[in-house]
C-alpha cells in the first residue's frame, strides 16, 4: 500500500536541496573569481607606466660578465625594439651559471657552434649577464633580433628549476618586462619559437608554465 509522505518531511527535503544547491553555487563562484583574478592580473599590468625610479629600485643583483666580442657568441649586432623575453634551460644538469657563461666564452676559440644568452640564472639564484640587451644573443633563432634570452640552470634531467632559481627567474623576468617595456604575455619559451623541447619542464608541464607567467605578472603588479 502506498503511503503519503508527511508534509513536514517534504518541506525539510526541499530546504535541504536548496541549501545544497546554494553551497554548490558558492563553490563555483569562488573558482570563477579565482580564475577571473588571475586573468585580471595578466590583463591589467601596464609596464609602460612603471617609473624609472621603480625600475632602479627593484633591479635584481646582476653579475655583469660580458662575453668577449666574437663572431660565435657575441657578434655585437644591434637588436631591434625588444618585443619579447624567451626562457630557456641549459640542458646540462647541475652546472652553474658561470660554467655556462664560460662555455659561451669558449666558443670564440672552439668555434664549434653559435650560441649565447643575455642572462643565465644559476642554481643558487645568481644572475649572470653575458650580452647587453642592446645586442643580439644567439639563443632564439628567428627571434634573436627582437627578444632577450634567459638561460636557466637546473639540478637534474627533468629540467625543473629549484625554488631559489625559480624565484630569481620570476624577479629577473618581471624586472626585464618593466625595464624593456615588454608585456608579460610576451614572455615565451624557446619551444614557442622553434618547437624545440626547451625549457623541457615547461614544455612537458603546460600548467607549470602558465603558473610561471602568472607569477611574473603578479610580481610586476606588485612592483609598479
Amino acid at each position: 500500500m502506498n503511503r503519503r509522505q508527511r508534509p513536514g518531511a517534504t518541506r525539510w527535503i526541499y530546504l535541504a536541496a536548496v541549501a545544497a544547491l546554494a553551497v554548490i553555487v558558492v563553490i563555483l563562484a569562488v573558482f570563477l573569481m579565482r580564475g577571473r583574478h588571475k586573468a585580471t592580473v595578466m590583463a591589467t599590468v601596464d609596464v609602460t607606466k612603471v617609473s624609472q625610479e621603480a625600475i632602479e629600485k627593484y633591479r635584481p643583483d646582476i653579475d655583469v660578465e660580458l662575453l668577449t666580442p666574437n663572431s660565435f657568441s657575441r657578434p655585437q649586432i644591434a637588436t631591434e625594439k625588444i618585443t619579447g623575453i624567451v626562457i630557456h634551460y641549459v640542458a646540462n644538469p647541475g652546472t652553474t651559471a658561470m660554467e655556462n657563461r664560460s662555455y659561451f666564452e669558449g666558443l670564440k676559440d672552439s668555434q664549434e657552434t653559435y650560441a649565447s644568452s643575455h642572462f643565465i640564472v644559476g642554481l643558487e639564484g645568481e644572475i649572470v649577464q653575458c650580452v647587453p640587451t642592446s645586442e643580439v644573443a644567439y639563443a632564439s633563432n628567428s627571434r634573436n633580433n627582437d627578444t632577450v634570452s634567459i638561460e636557466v640552470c637546473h639540478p637534474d634531467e627533468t629540467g625543473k628549476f629549484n625554488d631559489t632559481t625559480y624565484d630569481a627567474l620570476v624577479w629577473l623576468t618581471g624586472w626585464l618586462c618593466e625595464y624593456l617595456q615588454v608585456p608579460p604575455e610576451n614572455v615565451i619559451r624557446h619551444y614557442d619559437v622553434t618547437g624545440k623541447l626547451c625549457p623541457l619542464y615547461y614544455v612537458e608541464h603546460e600548467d607549470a608554465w602558465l603558473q610561471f607567467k602568472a607569477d611574473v605578472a603578479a610580481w610586476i603588479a606588485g612592483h609598479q
Side-chain angles (χ1 to χ4, degrees):
M1 182 174 66
N2 292 333
R3 296 177 181 269
R4 293 183 61 190
Q5 202 165 34
R6 290 178 298 171
T10 302
R11 179 172 178 272
W12 282 111
I13 292 172
Y14 172 77
L15 291 175
V18 170
L21 180 61
V23 170
I24 293 172
V25 169
V26 170
I27 292 172
L28 288 174
V30 169
F31 277 105
L32 286 172
M33 287 178 66
R34 285 181 177 176
R36 287 175 181 172
H37 174 68
K38 181 174 287 188
T40 299
V41 169
M42 293 293 290
T44 58
V45 172
D46 185 355
V47 292
T48 64
K49 294 182 179 179
V50 180
S51 68
Q52 287 299 314
E53 181 181 356
I55 289 172
E56 288 304 315
K57 178 180 179 181
Y58 296 115
R59 181 183 187 276
D61 185 13
I62 299 173
D63 181 11
V64 180
E65 299 284 350
L66 299 182
L67 302 176
T68 303
N70 71 93
S71 300
F72 290 84
S73 57
R74 188 187 168 192
Q76 293 189 293
I77 299 171
T79 55
E80 301 169 1
K81 176 178 172 53
I82 299 300
T83 61
I85 296 171
V86 186
I87 308 299
H88 306 253
Y89 85 131
V90 298
N92 195 359
T95 56
T96 68
M98 280 304 295
E99 285 173 337
N100 283 280
R101 187 264 177 201
S102 295
Y103 169 73
F104 292 146
E105 176 70 14
L107 292 177
K108 72 181 189 301
D109 301 315
S110 69
Q111 301 184 1
E112 62 184 67
T113 190
Y114 297 90
S116 56
S117 181
H118 293 94
F119 298 92
I120 308 170
V121 180
L123 297 173
E124 297 182 0
E126 71 276 23
I127 300 170
V128 176
Q129 182 172 11
C130 302
V131 178
T133 58
S134 59
E135 296 180 15
V136 164
Y138 288 141
S140 304
N141 304 78
S142 62
R143 295 298 304 276
N144 284 340
N145 290 328
D146 72 330
T147 60
V148 163
S149 59
I150 305 174
E151 287 277 359
V152 189
C153 299
H154 47 96
D156 57 44
E157 292 184 356
T158 67
K160 185 177 182 179
F161 310 143
N162 67 39
D163 290 344
T164 303
T165 301
Y166 183 88
D167 290 344
L169 177 61
V170 168
W171 186 352
L172 175 62
T173 306
W175 181 80
L176 285 172
C177 283
E178 293 185 333
Y179 174 59
L180 299 169
Q181 296 192 350
V182 173
E185 57 266 28
N186 287 3
V187 176
I188 61 175
R189 303 163 293 187
H190 191 185
Y191 170 80
D192 298 316
V193 180
T194 66
K196 181 179 180 180
L197 301 182
C198 174
L200 179 63
Y201 187 79
Y202 285 151
V203 174
E204 295 182 339
H205 299 83
E206 185 74 21
D207 57 334
W209 173 246
L210 295 176
Q211 183 60 57
F212 170 73
K213 294 192 67 169
D215 288 344
V216 169
W219 187 95
I220 296 170
H223 295 81
Q224 291 187 328

